[in-house]
Amino acid sequence: MPARLRLLLFVLLLPMPLRAQGALTYKLEYSAPGSANLRVAIELAEPSAGERTLVMPRAVPMGYGEQPYDRFLHNVSAYASSGEALAVERQDGPRWKLGAAGAHVARIEYEVNLAQMEREILSGGDSSRARPDYLELLGYSVLGFVEGLEDKAIRVHIAGPKDWPVFSTLAPKTPAASESLSVAAQNYYALADSQILMGHRAALRRIENKVPLFLALYSEGEADAALLGRLCGEAFQRVADYFGSVPFAHFTIVFEHLKPLSERHSYAFGMEHLESSSFSQSSEQALTVQTSQRQLAQTKYWIAHHIAHSWIPKRSYGQGYFPFRWELAALIDTIWLSEGFAQYAAIDALADGMPTKEGAAFRESMIESRFRSTLRRMPAFLKQMPLVELSKIASTRYSEDFRTGRTVFSRGGLMAAEMDQRMREKTKGKKRLRDALRYLVEWSAREKRAFRIEELPRIFKEATRVETRDILEKWLKPMKD
Ligand SMILES: [Zn+2]
């Protein structure tokens, strides 16, 4: 075997943490319980000569909007291997120019003011937060990247206050590590899309499922962790069964029930990630023994919908989702599929867990309540936009002006329902949209690229032998009323 090949094999066979050592190292230090201050250091293993650029995300995957995370960075500094401080210049946008021609940037340091972030970002689910006995860090809200090094493997060292449990969705385990933890990320995207939890108030539990499932719950009021864990387990099982295979090794659901920071703060949205979902709700929405069956069913559906996103669009996506652009929200033409079809998939996945008749009735009632009745309440000007145009508009304000989000997912959900109905009828129940979506996920894994809208009917037909192009075209057009 040639020496180079042997070396390559050796490197590939190394455990991930060792393999990542030659790459980038991120060090996160949170030292005092309740402190608003997080310290971050990025170490470049092989500093190259010349200027570097540090970039903080403003757009985040599935965020459909922008958040000014760069605003909360303070004391950005850069150093050579000798420890010599190098020049730092704040630039337009979320960027810092570091070093100078001839200098070698070996280490970048900065601090993040978590209290300022939580105060100034009004959508609770988009912010990290620190409490006297709890810390939640959304990777992309606190971790920047060095331009040009986004694809490098990353080693992450996390240090917390004395005796605090430290948990990362990149390598979840219970009980959590104490005080410090080292994990590896395949690249910047994987790191940015992960979450870190710390503190004794983060209640962690492992739920055996198709793959190990973890629930991390933080609640500022009464909450029934066992009940929530049961719903998460059922939702995950159903969605995993629906897609037929699980393309990740573990999954974490992060739930927070928070006392609103102000009247202007809202806590209503979940966020999906590669190997996790994070949910922030106000504390009165927490599940307790008094929670009605109806509310439990709605919560289970909500969780299932976000879990479904780990297949669509996190691993099977239209243009704009990946490769991801961090500084400016991408204009995406297929939100109706990512959101509408993923919601329909979650509905159908839960229906599969019921007796046939009950499942069909559930599916029909959800199509009515989630899609048809939602659309009836939306203004005509949004319904009369071509769906691709509406999708691009929702790309930057999906939840901020939720009328755009609601109209785009409802039209997509009804398109999915109509396609599913035709597939079932034409094949006498042998095929359904589930088969088309499983095939689409396989197609994406094979092709490693975004699908284009016009490719979808062919892909669906290969899976089911059923033509759906006319349904697609009908729903892409402006609606008549
Ligand atoms: Zn969604």
Side-chain angles (χ1 to χ4, degrees), residues 349-360:
L350 294 179
D352 283 347
M354 302 171 186
T356 313
K357 245 184 157 171
E358 198 186 312

Side-chain angles (χ1 to χ4, degrees), residues 188-240:
Y188 175 72
Y189 185 107
L191 174 65
D193 210 25
S194 71
Q195 296 83 52
I196 293 165
L197 302 162
M198 288 189 201
H200 298 286
R201 285 284 300 280
L204 301 169
R205 59 176 63 209
R206 179 184 162 122
I207 301 160
E208 293 313 320
N209 214 290
K210 291 252 168 179
V211 294
L213 177 65
F214 295 84
L215 170 64
L217 171 66
Y218 169 75
S219 189
E220 296 181 340
E222 190 194 340
D224 188 332
L227 180 58
L228 181 61
R230 182 170 64 74
L231 289 194
C232 290
E234 288 170 9
F236 190 87
Q237 177 85 45
R238 290 290 155 228
V239 174

Side-chain angles (χ1 to χ4, degrees), residues 260-296:
L261 212 60
S262 80
E263 279 181 10
R264 296 179 64 212
H265 282 74
S266 67
Y267 302 86
F269 282 89
M271 183 58 107
E272 37 284 332
H273 313 279
L274 281 169
E275 300 169 326
S276 56
S277 297
S278 49
F279 300 86
S280 298
Q281 284 186 304
S282 67
S283 46
E284 65 258 27
Q285 288 170 296
L287 303 183
T288 66
V289 283
Q290 280 103 38
T291 304
S292 68
Q293 286 302 317
R294 190 161 173 271
Q295 183 62 38
L296 290 181

Side-chain angles (χ1 to χ4, degrees), residues 335-345 371 408-410 412-414 416:
I335 297 186
W336 47 272
L337 187 139
S338 311
E339 294 298 335
F341 279 52
Q343 289 207 29
Y344 186 82
F371 307 139
V408 79
F409 82 62
S410 298
L414 290 174

Side-chain angles (χ1 to χ4, degrees), residues 62 64 269-272 301-302 305-306 308-309 312-313 335 338-340 342-343 370 398 409:
M62 306 284 298
Y64 305 131
F269 282 89
M271 183 58 107
E272 37 284 332
Y301 165 71
W302 191 41
H305 153 211
H306 284 283
H309 280 316
I312 296 173
I335 297 186
S338 311
E339 294 298 335
Q343 289 207 29
R370 291 295 304 171
Y398 185 91
F409 82 62

